[in-house]
Amino acid sequence: MTKILCLALNPAIDISSDAEVVRHTHKTRTHNQQQFPGGGGINVARVIATLGGVCELMFLSGGATGELLEAMLKRLPVTARPFPIHDPVRVAYAVHETSTNLEYRFVPEGPLVTEEELAPVFEAIAASDADIIVASGSLPRGVPDDTYVRLAEIIAAKGARLVLDTSGLPLSEALSRSRMFLVKPSLGEFEAFLGRKLTHEEVGPAAQDYVRTGAAQYIAVTLGADGAVLATADGIIRLPAIDVPVNSATGAGDSFVAGMVWALAEGRDVEEAFRFGQASGAATVMTAGTELCRRGDVFDLFEREQRRA
């Protein structure tokens, strides 16, 4: 059995609600409030569990919001292991404006984390027997930009596989200095790394160039409403977007990663896993607020697209 470990260095409590109109200065009255444990690694673990997989979750947790996060995670079928920090876990907030169908997302930078607080996480990962380790999300304040590079070195030494989904300097550091199994940037994140805009026809070859440097065995670039591209050393696979009703984009990228990882852990080949990732992301877009995908929707979309292929 393939063991999966998800890592969340900058988790969050995700709160979402609806409002007819979002206005400056005046109070914006909201309704339909939801709250879920969130942040990249936690969202990935939630979706893997939803799909029927088993995974362990390691996350940083501090303050009263950390206590709330831990209580929320105890209700999920995930083996959750918190690592204490001094500062409180961040709270993110999204508001869906019903009059325009626009979504406003407010995402704090997160707590200040020291090297002493981070060290036990690396020790635990070094001791883990997981086959696939998923590092997903931003880094909190105080954590060096090369943190995922250090993580990649530990994982490579163990013979395990690293799946990375991050952005900005942490992504640049990892792609420039590491050897990873799978990297999943969005188009905007990949363009920021390259320092230039890409046409959709250029995305695949640009990603394949980095695969051939050895930076990653696979690079999957999500293109939002234009689908996704998977680059391997041998070829490029492009999938159009799945046509679904759009309610919220929150967590769609995390769900894409989770769908791919779950399928790979189940023994499916990388192209089929890529299609599962796309179905998981699309199914999350169908749900409101910070709710993620539903298992039935993922399999229905996957099977529908398989028939069309």
Side-chain angles (χ1 to χ4, degrees), residues 17-87:
S17 61
D18 296 336
E20 182 178 0
V21 178
V22 176
R23 302 180 298 170
H24 68 85
T25 309
H26 300 283
K27 291 180 180 178
T28 297
R29 300 290 182 180
T30 63
H31 56 283
N32 293 337
Q33 179 170 305
Q34 299 182 78
Q35 61 184 36
F36 291 95
I42 288 179
N43 286 341
V44 173
R46 284 171 57 193
V47 172
I48 288 172
T50 295
L51 294 176
V54 176
C55 68
E56 182 181 4
L57 169 66
M58 295 182 183
F59 63 102
L60 299 181
S61 176
T65 46
E67 293 178 8
L68 175 58
L69 178 65
E70 292 173 36
M72 296 167 78
L73 287 169
K74 285 180 181 177
R75 299 195 291 267
L76 300 178
V78 172
T79 302
R81 181 178 175 184
F83 289 79
I85 58 175
H86 176 269
D87 282 6

Side-chain angles (χ1 to χ4, degrees), residues 86-287:
H86 176 269
D87 282 6
V89 165
R90 60 186 177 150
V91 177
Y93 191 53
V95 179
H96 171 234
E97 188 177 57
T98 58
S99 59
T100 62
N101 206 32
L102 295 175
E103 186 176 47
Y104 297 86
R105 299 165 67 180
F106 305 90
V107 184
E109 58 187 350
L112 181 65
V113 175
T114 67
E115 181 64 31
E116 291 74 21
E117 291 172 327
L118 190 62
V121 178
F122 284 99
E123 293 169 3
I125 290 171
S128 170
D129 63 351
D131 304 292
I132 301 176
I133 298 172
V134 185
S136 179
S138 61
L139 295 175
R141 292 178 299 134
V143 174
D145 292 326
D146 69 350
T147 294
Y148 289 134
V149 175
R150 295 163 57 196
L151 179 65
E153 292 170 353
I154 293 171
I155 293 170
K158 290 159 47 67
R161 293 174 285 177
L162 171 61
V163 175
L164 179 65
D165 180 13
T166 191
S167 60
L169 286 174
L171 174 63
S172 298
E173 289 281 329
L175 278 175
S176 300
R177 298 169 52 190
S178 301
R179 299 292 181 265
M180 297 167 285
F181 176 63
L182 168 66
V183 179
K184 201 261 358 133
S186 67
L187 175 58
E189 291 164 351
F190 193 48
E191 288 176 331
F193 164 68
L194 295 174
R196 69 179 191 273
K197 289 289 185 180
L198 298 171
T199 66
H200 289 164
E201 291 72 26
E202 292 172 330
V203 174
Q208 191 177 54
D209 286 344
Y210 272 88
V211 168
R212 288 174 172 165
T213 68
Q217 188 172 342
Y218 304 107
I219 296 180
V221 184
T222 49
L223 310 175
D226 293 304
V229 172
L230 176 68
T232 75
D234 300 322
I236 298 167
I237 304 168
R238 176 159 183 170
L239 296 177
I242 300 176
D243 185 18
V244 295
V246 176
N247 283 300
S248 173
T250 301
D254 299 326
S255 300
F256 185 103
V257 171
M260 279 200 74
V261 169
W262 173 84
L264 290 167
E266 290 291 306
R268 298 175 186 263
D269 64 39
V270 70
E271 181 173 352
E272 195 171 20
F274 182 45
R275 293 179 181 276
F276 255 107
Q278 189 196 40
S280 300
T284 291
V285 168
M286 294 168 61
T287 61

